[in-house]
Every structure is written in C-alpha cells, then in structure tokens.
Amino acid sequence: CSGNGIKVAGGKNFTVDFAGYTYTIDGTTVGSTGTETNGFQLLKDSTITFKNGTLTSDIAKILIQNYANLTLDNMTLDAGSADYALSTNNGSTVIRDTEIIAKNDGFAFDVCSFGDYSGNSVTVTGDSVIVGAIELSSYNDADEALALNSGDFSEAYLVMSDDGNKVDVTKTDDVTIAAPDGYKWEDNKLVAKSYVAAIDDAEYETLADAFAAVQNGETITLLTDCSGNGIKVAGGKNFTVDF
C-alpha cells in the first residue's frame, strides 16, 4: 500500500509486521516544523520494531528519521530519491538481516547526535546488506557508537564528517570495509592515522615507509618527533631528508 508519512510520538512500544509487503510514502511527508521531509519520524523514548517488509519513497528526503530504540528485522529500505534511507540521531538502532539501498549519491544511514540528545548507537548484524555511504558525524558530546558485527559491505563505504571522529566505530574479523581517508583499522577499531613524514602531499605513518616510497630528486620532510626501526638505503638513490 501507499500513503502519507507517519510520525510516532514518544513513549510507544510496538512492532509492525509488514508480512512481505511494501509501504510507499507518496503523499505528505512528516517531520519537525520546517523540516517535514521524512517518510517516518520516530521520536525518542519509544521502542519500535519494523520487520518482514519494504519501505520506499520517491518524495521523502529521509526515509526513516529515528530518535527511538529501533530494530529493523528482515526489512528492505529502498531510498528511492531520499538523501538518507535511515538517519539515526538518538537511541539504539539494530539493523538485522536487512538491506539498505542508498541512491547513487546518497547515504544508506548515518550515526549523528546533536542538540540535547543523550546518545546514539547503531549495530549491523545478521545477513544485512548495506549499499551506499555510512556517514559518521557529531554535533554534541553524547556517546556515539557504530558496531559492524556482520553483513555484506562490499558496496558500502564510511564517510567521516563534522567531528565524526567522536563516533566509536568497531567491526569484527568477518567484516570487510575500507577505512575513510586519514583513518585505519587497528584491532578492528577505527582510529586516526598518525603521520610522521611527508613527500610532497603524500604522508606516511613511519619514516621507514617514507624511505621506501621516496623517488630520486624528492625530499622527505619529518612532521614530528618519532621513533622506529633502523633504515637501510639501497645504492643508486638521490634524495634529501629534511628533519
């Protein structure tokens, strides 16, 4: 079936079983005053489960705007024209055995706290499939976490924006997804790279890495005090190290 967007007040505790069917938001969208662009707006202090169905829209900017404790179980979120298939700003969100499909330049979901919201966590588990960007951002000091426990992320990528380094991001050994620029996976936790040397615009985490990469006529420039292994330089090299 199809119809308007749906706003759920806080303090609700219920499950929607879509029973294999699709709900298309093609009427009036909902949201806070001035931002009525959501297919669903789920307000805080509610606990809601959506299961066994599909949500889509060609008019909503955000398919689900979530401030509640939300579980998506065996769902498909097809963003259609929406910028975000799912936006999480508060509460605990569990994405289980669920496919989230962003439009080509859109976001599958975000992890983003702001205002006076107390915290935000997202867990992806089961046989979930994520297609599109996963945005990490923060506009307050609330605790934020993203746990990628299992699923297919072969067509997903992480985007770090607006103090997104405040989000505690972890994964398991079974999950493969590239770290965003300037970050790396260390013991399955996303951490910022610490660069000690540069060659022009290229930066390196160890001085040995810079020595291995330097070409004739180039200059390695140290960026900070650092330590590490001894370095062996093969013959036939012509370069400068500016300490």
Side-chain angles (χ1 to χ4, degrees), residues 19 21 28 33 46 48 61 76 107 125-126 129 144 169 171 192-193 199 204-205 219 221 226 229-230 237:
Y21 294 108
T28 302
T33 301
S46 287
I48 300 169
K61 298 299 183 184
T76 296
F107 297 93
T125 188
V129 178
E144 292 191 81
V169 183
K171 71 179 189 68
K193 289 182 177 180
I199 302 172
Y204 300 89
E205 292 186 83
T219 296
T221 303
C226 58
N229 296 329
K237 294 282 189 175

Side-chain angles (χ1 to χ4, degrees), residues 49-68:
T49 297
F50 288 171
K51 67 180 186 179
N52 303 328
T54 298
L55 298 177
T56 189
S57 179
D58 284 330
I59 61 169
K61 298 299 183 184
I62 300 174
L63 199 56
I64 300 177
Q65 175 72 75
N66 182 51
Y67 305 93

Side-chain angles (χ1 to χ4, degrees), residues 18-240:
F18 289 86
Y21 294 108
T22 297
Y23 183 63
T24 302
I25 298 97
D26 62 1
T28 302
T29 51
V30 296
S32 302
T33 301
T35 58
E36 297 93 343
T37 59
N38 309 160
F40 284 84
Q41 186 188 41
L42 311 178
L43 298 182
K44 68 176 184 176
D45 301 323
S46 287
T47 299
I48 300 169
T49 297
F50 288 171
K51 67 180 186 179
N52 303 328
T54 298
L55 298 177
T56 189
S57 179
D58 284 330
I59 61 169
K61 298 299 183 184
I62 300 174
L63 199 56
I64 300 177
Q65 175 72 75
N66 182 51
Y67 305 93
N69 297 315
L70 174 65
T71 297
L72 299 174
D73 188 359
N74 192 32
M75 290 291 294
T76 296
L77 304 187
D78 185 347
S81 62
D83 296 327
Y84 292 81
L86 170 67
S87 180
T88 71
N89 302 128
N90 182 70
S92 173
T93 300
V94 176
I95 300 167
R96 179 188 302 116
D97 298 330
T98 288
E99 184 175 19
I100 301 181
I101 307 167
K103 68 178 185 180
N104 289 339
D105 57 349
F107 297 93
F109 65 89
D110 67 358
V111 185
C112 175
S113 288
F114 64 91
D116 58 357
Y117 290 104
S118 59
N120 186 23
S121 69
V122 177
T123 300
V124 184
T125 188
D127 292 325
S128 294
V129 178
I130 308 300
V131 177
I134 301 171
E135 183 184 32
L136 309 172
S137 57
S138 180
Y139 296 92
N140 64 18
D141 293 325
D143 292 335
E144 292 191 81
L146 170 63
L148 305 177
N149 291 345
S150 61
D152 181 350
F153 300 90
S154 59
E155 296 183 71
Y157 56 98
L158 294 166
V159 175
M160 187 75 65
S161 62
D162 299 318
D163 289 333
N165 59 326
K166 294 179 181 179
V167 182
D168 181 20
V169 183
T170 58
K171 71 179 189 68
T172 63
D173 289 335
D174 294 332
V175 168
T176 300
I177 186 170
D181 289 344
Y183 290 80
K184 63 181 180 179
W185 293 108
E186 187 173 280
D187 297 326
N188 285 330
K189 181 178 175 62
L190 193 67
V191 297
K193 289 182 177 180
S194 179
Y195 298 110
V196 302
I199 302 172
D200 294 326
D201 293 332
E203 296 179 306
Y204 300 89
E205 292 186 83
T206 70
L207 187 57
D209 288 342
F211 268 76
V214 70
Q215 302 296 309
N216 284 337
E218 292 183 332
T219 296
I220 298 170
T221 303
L222 264 68
L223 305 175
T224 183
D225 293 333
C226 58
S227 59
N229 296 329
I231 297 173
K232 182 176 181 177
V233 179
K237 294 282 189 175
N238 176 14
F239 64 93
T240 297

Side-chain angles (χ1 to χ4, degrees), residues 10-24:
K12 299 283 189 174
N13 180 6
F14 63 91
T15 295
V16 182
D17 187 347
F18 289 86
Y21 294 108
T22 297
Y23 183 63
T24 302

